[in-house]
Amino acid sequence: MKVLVVGSGGREHTIAWRLAESSLVDEVICLPGNGGTATEKKCKNIDPKDNPVLQSLSLNEAAVNVALSQKVDFAVIGPEDPLADGIADSLWNAGIPTVGPKSKGAALEASKDLSKIFMKKYGVACAESETFTDKDSALAYVRQKGAPIVVKADGLAAGKGVVVAKTLEEAEKAVEDLMSGSAVGDAGKKLVIEEYLQGVEISVLAAVSVTEESSASGKACIKAFLPARDHKRLLDGAKGPNTGGMGAVCPLSDVTGETMALFEKNILQPTLKGLIAEKMDYRGFIFFGLMLTKDGPKALEYNVRLGDPETQAVLPMMDFDFAKLCQSIMNGSLGSFEMKWKSGFQVAPVAVSGGYPLKYAKGKVINFANSVIEEAGAKIFIAGAISDRRAKTPTLITSGGRVLACSAHGSSFDEAWKKAYEAMAGVQFDGMFFRKDIGLPGAAESN
């Protein structure tokens, strides 16, 4: 069996690796992939920049072209932007089964206003909010409500469209910056302003299989994975600027069975009810950003794909065939699919380029002490690195802000943490930086 994976980050490397682990899968085609997928077993990169036929095509068109020419059995879409642009619709229309929601479902991430309307309509526990397209009205609202308060750009903003304003001045500046277009462009022309929730954040990823047919037959299904936590702040102790994610841990010792039961009742099942009622074709994954409050978990946001870097901590915990899970999502048998999980913990700190999340250099050679990494028992997932074509021997150079994750498993959290950081000592590039407290007490973002 052949599988197409669309995307080029650490999440996509993890997905490709997990698929390649399946005995059902002969080859994983990565579009475009990265320096990690280029050397992963059973994996092959196809970069449109190197292909005259694909260069002039949109990503949707290129994905269909590659899927058909390579005769893939199904596709898995990693990032949110192609999903919002309807890549799943295009692939299904071309006869390619696809893991990833069609554009109607993908709008739950593409528009925070739409997702809040959806949450309120179907009784999903979430923060109170109002939506604004007029700057003066938005400023009047934050002045009326006061701080702390949360200001969110409505559209996709690569993780840069949310400001947790602790003071009124910060809230006013967020409104000005987002609506002027200077911060996130057109994504900030509409704002969602919501109440500040007191608590600690977690992430729950889930598999979803909803079609009109499965809804009619009672087989529509959503199944949660183990809870995880992403560490967004750049510096130890959850300080410094927000980033795309400095590391993740899975599962979480501070999340009880009672908390997950409340999540199931007040967030997961109402979300499934809404997907069914809205007649969405949603066969893929969903990410719940949650705040654990004194009143139980509340939804902060939906992402319509797997999280990054949560994927690098969650997928290695799977004690089942990921390719078979994907098949169950597409064919409507998710309800009977048994998800077994490894015992223990997975810790995955992320190494970033110096200067990230602001200006940073690219093209830095990455040196790996493979014996150190192997002795630690860790897996390196590449995010922002590509193969250096000028080098005589296989060499990776940095190409992004978040460069890689060192993901390690242990029977205890302490063991997993120790292995992950021992492996990180086997990686070096000029300007390399990483947090040293992923998963430790005081490292989690909290309000």
Side-chain angles (χ1 to χ4, degrees):
M1 187 162 65
K2 280 188 177 184
V3 185
L4 172 67
V5 174
V6 175
S8 62
R11 166 184 49 223
E12 288 75 39
H13 183 183
T14 313
I15 290 169
W17 163 78
R18 188 84 265 188
L19 286 167
E21 292 281 296
S22 171
S23 60
L24 300 178
V25 175
D26 299 306
E27 188 174 34
V28 181
I29 310 297
C30 302
L31 180 72
N34 62 30
T37 56
T39 58
E40 194 68 57
K41 68 175 184 179
K42 296 186 185 178
C43 295
K44 177 178 74 174
N45 288 356
I46 295 181
D47 191 337
K49 294 176 185 176
D50 299 331
N51 188 310
V53 175
L54 302 179
Q55 281 179 1
S56 62
L57 302 180
S58 68
L59 179 57
N60 288 12
E61 293 167 337
V64 170
N65 180 293
V66 171
L68 293 175
S69 64
Q70 295 290 320
K71 296 181 171 58
V72 304
D73 294 272
F74 66 90
V76 181
I77 313 303
E80 63 274 22
D81 286 336
L83 290 167
D85 289 340
I87 193 170
D89 307 66
S90 297
L91 286 162
W92 278 105
N93 289 340
I96 308 299
T98 301
V99 179
K102 290 185 177 179
S103 56
K104 185 177 180 180
L108 288 173
E109 180 174 0
S111 170
K112 288 183 173 60
D113 179 39
L114 186 148
S115 71
K116 294 296 289 194
I117 292 170
F118 178 93
M119 289 179 191
K120 292 173 184 177
K121 183 176 181 180
Y122 294 103
V124 175
C126 63
E128 293 181 2
S129 69
E130 294 290 339
T131 299
F132 299 89
T133 55
D134 175 70
K135 183 176 73 173
D136 290 338
S137 299
L139 288 170
Y141 183 78
V142 299
R143 288 164 185 157
Q144 174 199 340
K145 290 293 184 179
I149 198 165
V150 182
V151 183
K152 297 181 175 181
D154 173 64
L156 295 174
K160 301 174 183 176
V162 178
V163 177
V164 180
K166 299 295 181 69
T167 67
L168 181 57
E169 290 75 19
E170 288 178 2
E172 290 174 334
K173 185 177 187 303
V175 170
E176 294 278 1
D177 290 348
L178 290 170
M179 296 200 89
S180 70
S182 63
V184 295
D186 290 347
K189 288 185 175 180
K190 182 188 289 187
L191 295 184
V192 173
I193 302 178
E194 64 182 32
E195 69 170 317
Y196 175 90
L197 295 176
Q198 193 79 28
V200 62
E201 288 189 44
I202 70 167
S203 307
V204 179
L205 314 180
V208 185
S209 183
V210 176
T211 62
E212 286 196 51
E213 294 79 10
S214 65
S215 298
S217 65
K219 291 184 178 181
C221 182
I222 184 168
K223 283 191 173 182
F225 297 167
L226 295 175
R229 177 171 286 123
D230 176 17
H231 297 65
K232 289 287 188 186
R233 297 285 185 173
L234 178 69
L235 305 176
D236 288 1
K239 296 177 181 177
N242 268 327
T243 72
M246 294 298 294
V249 59
C250 175
L252 304 175
S253 299
D254 60 331
V255 176
T256 65
E258 180 183 4
T259 297
M260 291 304 290
L262 287 171
F263 163 72
E264 174 92 22
K265 176 185 176 184
N266 298 328
I267 297 173
L268 193 73
Q269 289 306 317
T271 297
L272 176 61
K273 177 183 175 183
L275 296 176
I276 293 170
E278 297 294 329
K279 293 183 166 60
M280 291 184 181
D281 187 335
Y282 200 122
R283 284 171 279 184
F285 303 107
I286 194 166
F287 168 115
F288 296 89
L290 306 176
M291 185 69 77
L292 304 185
T293 75
K294 61 181 178 57
D295 300 317
K298 291 195 176 183
L300 298 173
E301 64 177 351
Y302 293 124
N303 291 165
V304 297
R305 33 70 187 187
L306 294 173
D308 191 342
E310 290 94 341
T311 298
Q312 291 89 305
V314 176
L315 264 61
M317 290 292 296
M318 291 177 170
D319 199 15
F320 56 83
D321 189 316
F322 185 66
K324 289 182 179 178
L325 172 67
C326 291
Q327 288 179 319
S328 75
I329 288 170
M330 293 180 292
N331 65 27
S333 64
L334 178 62
S336 60
F337 186 88
E338 185 177 4
M339 293 194 296
K340 294 182 179 180
W341 300 91
K342 297 175 183 176
S343 59
F345 292 82
Q346 198 82 18
V347 176
V350 170
V352 304
S353 298
Y356 175 81
L358 301 175
K359 188 176 181 180
Y360 54 86
K362 299 179 182 180
K364 302 298 182 181
V365 173
I366 308 172
N367 296 301
F368 297 98
N370 291 324
S371 60
V372 173
I373 298 166
E374 289 169 8
E375 188 174 343
K379 174 68 179 177
I380 303 294
F381 293 115
I382 298 299
I386 57 175
S387 302
D388 185 355
R389 299 179 182 181
R390 301 164 300 176
K392 295 180 180 179
T393 58
T395 304
L396 290 184
I397 56 174
T398 63
S399 61
R402 288 190 296 160
V403 176
L404 55 83
C406 287
S407 186
H409 180 266
S411 58
S412 65
F413 168 79
D414 289 344
E415 181 187 358
W417 189 91
K418 183 172 181 287
K419 287 181 174 180
Y421 281 95
E422 284 176 351
M424 192 68 88
V427 180
Q428 188 278 326
F429 56 89
D430 186 30
M432 175 176 161
F433 176 80
F434 58 94
R435 278 181 62 167
K436 300 172 181 64
D437 67 342
I438 299 302
L440 295 179
E445 284 78 26
S446 60
N447 289 342

